Amino acid sequence: MNNTTEFVLRHRQFYVPWTDDEEDMLETGQKFALALSTEVQLPLVVAATTLTNIPAELSRLEHITERSSTAQRRSRVVLALYPSWKLLLKATPSSTDSYFVGVEWADESLRGWSTFAGALDLSTWTTMVDPLSRDVRDIYDRIVWNGNNSWMDAHGKSAALRDLRRLEEIGQLDRDLLLGYVLHRKRSAAALQLETLIDKVQPRPARSWL
């Protein structure tokens, strides 16, 4: 095993960030996942929101979609193409000797999730590093703690909004990072509820279709 392969295999999660060159992203994710599957001698499984999102050249492989039942726990390499949060949580392998390659979609950022997974960014070949200071992490943890009812109760909402406003005041309200942090600790439905609270503090710009 050479040094490059040894470095790559220190990781279990891999991240292909969104760019405007969608064809290049797909090629990067597919080639890497196929090579990884061969190297570690594990089956390659494709995850996509629906079957129609799976490229023809991968259509014969085992697959996972949002409609799939509970994902299998056996060892494998999972290539997730533009996963929604629901699919991300379903497709992420639970076995410790499996691998996950996530190809990002423009509207569903994997940056936060990949950061806290310590993923290897395949656009830069660098390991993603947790950037949180102790103080910011304490706020993140408090937001998670107050979301024990998915931030649906009055106390959970008000406490989360207070902490979100504090993060905004100190310039540390990073939507993608916070939601990624929560995704490692909550169900996707809970993360979606938190996003509605983030919108109250940090409204998203109107989308332009021009």
mmCIF file of all heavy atoms in Angstrom, residues 171-192:
data_model
loop_
_atom_site.group_PDB
_atom_site.id
_atom_site.type_symbol
_atom_site.label_atom_id
_atom_site.label_comp_id
_atom_site.label_asym_id
_atom_site.label_seq_id
_atom_site.Cartn_x
_atom_site.Cartn_y
_atom_site.Cartn_z
ATOM 1 N N GLY A 171 -21.359 36.654 14.684
ATOM 2 C CA GLY A 171 -20.911 36.268 13.350
ATOM 3 C C GLY A 171 -20.606 34.788 13.196
ATOM 4 O O GLY A 171 -19.786 34.402 12.359
ATOM 5 N N GLN A 172 -21.285 33.946 13.987
ATOM 6 C CA GLN A 172 -21.008 32.507 13.974
ATOM 7 C C GLN A 172 -22.225 31.667 13.604
ATOM 8 O O GLN A 172 -22.229 30.466 13.848
ATOM 9 C CB GLN A 172 -20.493 32.075 15.354
ATOM 10 C CG GLN A 172 -19.154 32.662 15.730
ATOM 11 C CD GLN A 172 -18.031 32.171 14.825
ATOM 12 O OE1 GLN A 172 -17.999 31.002 14.435
ATOM 13 N NE2 GLN A 172 -17.118 33.058 14.466
ATOM 14 N N LEU A 173 -23.246 32.288 13.010
ATOM 15 C CA LEU A 173 -24.421 31.513 12.594
ATOM 16 C C LEU A 173 -24.189 31.014 11.174
ATOM 17 O O LEU A 173 -24.492 31.681 10.194
ATOM 18 C CB LEU A 173 -25.698 32.345 12.677
ATOM 19 C CG LEU A 173 -26.994 31.610 12.300
ATOM 20 C CD1 LEU A 173 -27.122 30.288 13.035
ATOM 21 C CD2 LEU A 173 -28.207 32.490 12.554
ATOM 22 N N ASP A 174 -23.606 29.839 11.079
ATOM 23 C CA ASP A 174 -23.325 29.182 9.805
ATOM 24 C C ASP A 174 -24.354 28.073 9.639
ATOM 25 O O ASP A 174 -24.279 27.025 10.283
ATOM 26 C CB ASP A 174 -21.897 28.615 9.823
ATOM 27 C CG ASP A 174 -21.479 28.015 8.493
ATOM 28 O OD1 ASP A 174 -22.298 27.295 7.880
ATOM 29 O OD2 ASP A 174 -20.329 28.235 8.081
ATOM 30 N N ARG A 175 -25.326 28.316 8.781
ATOM 31 C CA ARG A 175 -26.450 27.389 8.588
ATOM 32 C C ARG A 175 -25.973 25.969 8.292
ATOM 33 O O ARG A 175 -26.425 25.002 8.915
ATOM 34 C CB ARG A 175 -27.332 27.904 7.455
ATOM 35 C CG ARG A 175 -28.511 27.008 7.086
ATOM 36 C CD ARG A 175 -29.180 27.520 5.834
ATOM 37 N NE ARG A 175 -29.716 28.848 6.044
ATOM 38 C CZ ARG A 175 -30.954 29.092 6.463
ATOM 39 N NH1 ARG A 175 -31.789 28.090 6.680
ATOM 40 N NH2 ARG A 175 -31.368 30.338 6.637
ATOM 41 N N ASP A 176 -25.061 25.836 7.343
ATOM 42 C CA ASP A 176 -24.628 24.502 6.924
ATOM 43 C C ASP A 176 -23.900 23.764 8.037
ATOM 44 O O ASP A 176 -24.119 22.567 8.260
ATOM 45 C CB ASP A 176 -23.712 24.602 5.702
ATOM 46 C CG ASP A 176 -24.442 25.108 4.471
ATOM 47 O OD1 ASP A 176 -25.685 25.038 4.448
ATOM 48 O OD2 ASP A 176 -23.768 25.565 3.531
ATOM 49 N N LEU A 177 -23.026 24.471 8.753
ATOM 50 C CA LEU A 177 -22.292 23.828 9.843
ATOM 51 C C LEU A 177 -23.234 23.384 10.953
ATOM 52 O O LEU A 177 -23.145 22.269 11.459
ATOM 53 C CB LEU A 177 -21.238 24.778 10.422
ATOM 54 C CG LEU A 177 -19.880 24.836 9.737
ATOM 55 C CD1 LEU A 177 -18.959 25.766 10.509
ATOM 56 C CD2 LEU A 177 -19.250 23.457 9.614
ATOM 57 N N LEU A 178 -24.144 24.282 11.352
ATOM 58 C CA LEU A 178 -25.051 23.957 12.446
ATOM 59 C C LEU A 178 -25.955 22.788 12.095
ATOM 60 O O LEU A 178 -26.127 21.847 12.886
ATOM 61 C CB LEU A 178 -25.886 25.181 12.820
ATOM 62 C CG LEU A 178 -26.934 24.987 13.926
ATOM 63 C CD1 LEU A 178 -26.308 24.428 15.197
ATOM 64 C CD2 LEU A 178 -27.663 26.297 14.214
ATOM 65 N N LEU A 179 -26.525 22.806 10.900
ATOM 66 C CA LEU A 179 -27.407 21.705 10.507
ATOM 67 C C LEU A 179 -26.632 20.404 10.370
ATOM 68 O O LEU A 179 -27.139 19.329 10.705
ATOM 69 C CB LEU A 179 -28.128 22.055 9.206
ATOM 70 C CG LEU A 179 -29.158 23.183 9.324
ATOM 71 C CD1 LEU A 179 -29.699 23.551 7.946
ATOM 72 C CD2 LEU A 179 -30.292 22.814 10.259
ATOM 73 N N GLY A 180 -25.394 20.488 9.893
ATOM 74 C CA GLY A 180 -24.567 19.285 9.817
ATOM 75 C C GLY A 180 -24.285 18.720 11.197
ATOM 76 O O GLY A 180 -24.298 17.497 11.397
ATOM 77 N N TYR A 181 -24.030 19.595 12.144
ATOM 78 C CA TYR A 181 -23.789 19.180 13.534
ATOM 79 C C TYR A 181 -25.019 18.457 14.084
ATOM 80 O O TYR A 181 -24.916 17.399 14.717
ATOM 81 C CB TYR A 181 -23.478 20.412 14.360
ATOM 82 C CG TYR A 181 -22.928 20.154 15.744
ATOM 83 C CD1 TYR A 181 -21.573 19.900 15.925
ATOM 84 C CD2 TYR A 181 -23.744 20.197 16.868
ATOM 85 C CE1 TYR A 181 -21.045 19.690 17.189
ATOM 86 C CE2 TYR A 181 -23.227 19.977 18.137
ATOM 87 C CZ TYR A 181 -21.876 19.734 18.290
ATOM 88 O OH TYR A 181 -21.356 19.512 19.551
ATOM 89 N N VAL A 182 -26.180 19.046 13.803
ATOM 90 C CA VAL A 182 -27.433 18.455 14.289
ATOM 91 C C VAL A 182 -27.724 17.126 13.604
ATOM 92 O O VAL A 182 -28.214 16.188 14.232
ATOM 93 C CB VAL A 182 -28.600 19.449 14.076
ATOM 94 C CG1 VAL A 182 -29.947 18.785 14.365
ATOM 95 C CG2 VAL A 182 -28.421 20.678 14.969
ATOM 96 N N LEU A 183 -27.391 17.017 12.317
ATOM 97 C CA LEU A 183 -27.656 15.782 11.584
ATOM 98 C C LEU A 183 -26.928 14.583 12.183
ATOM 99 O O LEU A 183 -27.392 13.451 12.063
ATOM 100 C CB LEU A 183 -27.237 15.936 10.120
ATOM 101 C CG LEU A 183 -28.246 16.605 9.199
ATOM 102 C CD1 LEU A 183 -27.619 16.847 7.834
ATOM 103 C CD2 LEU A 183 -29.498 15.756 9.044
ATOM 104 N N HIS A 184 -25.806 14.824 12.811
ATOM 105 C CA HIS A 184 -25.090 13.731 13.456
ATOM 106 C C HIS A 184 -25.740 13.333 14.787
ATOM 107 O O HIS A 184 -25.346 12.340 15.389
ATOM 108 C CB HIS A 184 -23.635 14.121 13.712
ATOM 109 C CG HIS A 184 -22.777 14.030 12.486
ATOM 110 N ND1 HIS A 184 -22.275 12.843 12.012
ATOM 111 C CD2 HIS A 184 -22.349 14.978 11.615
ATOM 112 C CE1 HIS A 184 -21.565 13.068 10.922
ATOM 113 N NE2 HIS A 184 -21.602 14.357 10.659
ATOM 114 N N ARG A 185 -26.733 14.100 15.228
ATOM 115 C CA ARG A 185 -27.308 13.870 16.552
ATOM 116 C C ARG A 185 -28.824 13.734 16.551
ATOM 117 O O ARG A 185 -29.403 13.298 17.545
ATOM 118 C CB ARG A 185 -26.913 15.030 17.485
ATOM 119 C CG ARG A 185 -25.414 15.047 17.755
ATOM 120 C CD ARG A 185 -24.914 16.427 18.185
ATOM 121 N NE ARG A 185 -23.493 16.349 18.522
ATOM 122 C CZ ARG A 185 -22.519 16.377 17.614
ATOM 123 N NH1 ARG A 185 -22.812 16.486 16.325
ATOM 124 N NH2 ARG A 185 -21.250 16.297 17.987
ATOM 125 N N LYS A 186 -29.493 14.140 15.456
ATOM 126 C CA LYS A 186 -30.954 14.136 15.414
ATOM 127 C C LYS A 186 -31.466 13.486 14.135
ATOM 128 O O LYS A 186 -30.731 13.290 13.175
ATOM 129 C CB LYS A 186 -31.484 15.576 15.464
ATOM 130 C CG LYS A 186 -31.162 16.346 16.736
ATOM 131 C CD LYS A 186 -32.096 15.954 17.853
ATOM 132 C CE LYS A 186 -31.884 16.863 19.066
ATOM 133 N NZ LYS A 186 -32.795 16.495 20.164
ATOM 134 N N ARG A 187 -32.760 13.224 14.094
ATOM 135 C CA ARG A 187 -33.406 12.749 12.876
ATOM 136 C C ARG A 187 -33.494 13.890 11.859
ATOM 137 O O ARG A 187 -33.403 15.052 12.214
ATOM 138 C CB ARG A 187 -34.817 12.251 13.177
ATOM 139 C CG ARG A 187 -34.876 11.063 14.128
ATOM 140 C CD ARG A 187 -36.314 10.662 14.392
ATOM 141 N NE ARG A 187 -37.058 11.724 15.050
ATOM 142 C CZ ARG A 187 -37.987 12.451 14.468
ATOM 143 N NH1 ARG A 187 -38.309 12.239 13.204
ATOM 144 N NH2 ARG A 187 -38.634 13.381 15.146
ATOM 145 N N SER A 188 -33.669 13.580 10.585
ATOM 146 C CA SER A 188 -33.760 14.621 9.565
ATOM 147 C C SER A 188 -34.944 15.553 9.826
ATOM 148 O O SER A 188 -34.853 16.753 9.590
ATOM 149 C CB SER A 188 -33.884 13.993 8.177
ATOM 150 O OG SER A 188 -35.024 13.173 8.086
ATOM 151 N N ALA A 189 -36.063 15.007 10.294
ATOM 152 C CA ALA A 189 -37.234 15.841 10.560
ATOM 153 C C ALA A 189 -36.913 16.917 11.586
ATOM 154 O O ALA A 189 -37.378 18.050 11.486
ATOM 155 C CB ALA A 189 -38.392 14.976 11.037
ATOM 156 N N ALA A 190 -36.115 16.573 12.575
ATOM 157 C CA ALA A 190 -35.730 17.551 13.595
ATOM 158 C C ALA A 190 -34.869 18.640 12.989
ATOM 159 O O ALA A 190 -35.024 19.825 13.295
ATOM 160 C CB ALA A 190 -34.987 16.862 14.733
ATOM 161 N N ALA A 191 -33.952 18.258 12.109
ATOM 162 C CA ALA A 191 -33.096 19.252 11.466
ATOM 163 C C ALA A 191 -33.923 20.202 10.610
ATOM 164 O O ALA A 191 -33.652 21.404 10.563
ATOM 165 C CB ALA A 191 -32.032 18.560 10.622
ATOM 166 N N LEU A 192 -34.935 19.668 9.936
ATOM 167 C CA LEU A 192 -35.798 20.519 9.126
ATOM 168 C C LEU A 192 -36.545 21.534 9.996
ATOM 169 O O LEU A 192 -36.731 22.683 9.606
ATOM 170 C CB LEU A 192 -36.797 19.667 8.342
ATOM 171 C CG LEU A 192 -36.196 18.834 7.214
ATOM 172 C CD1 LEU A 192 -37.236 17.879 6.647
ATOM 173 C CD2 LEU A 192 -35.659 19.741 6.116
#
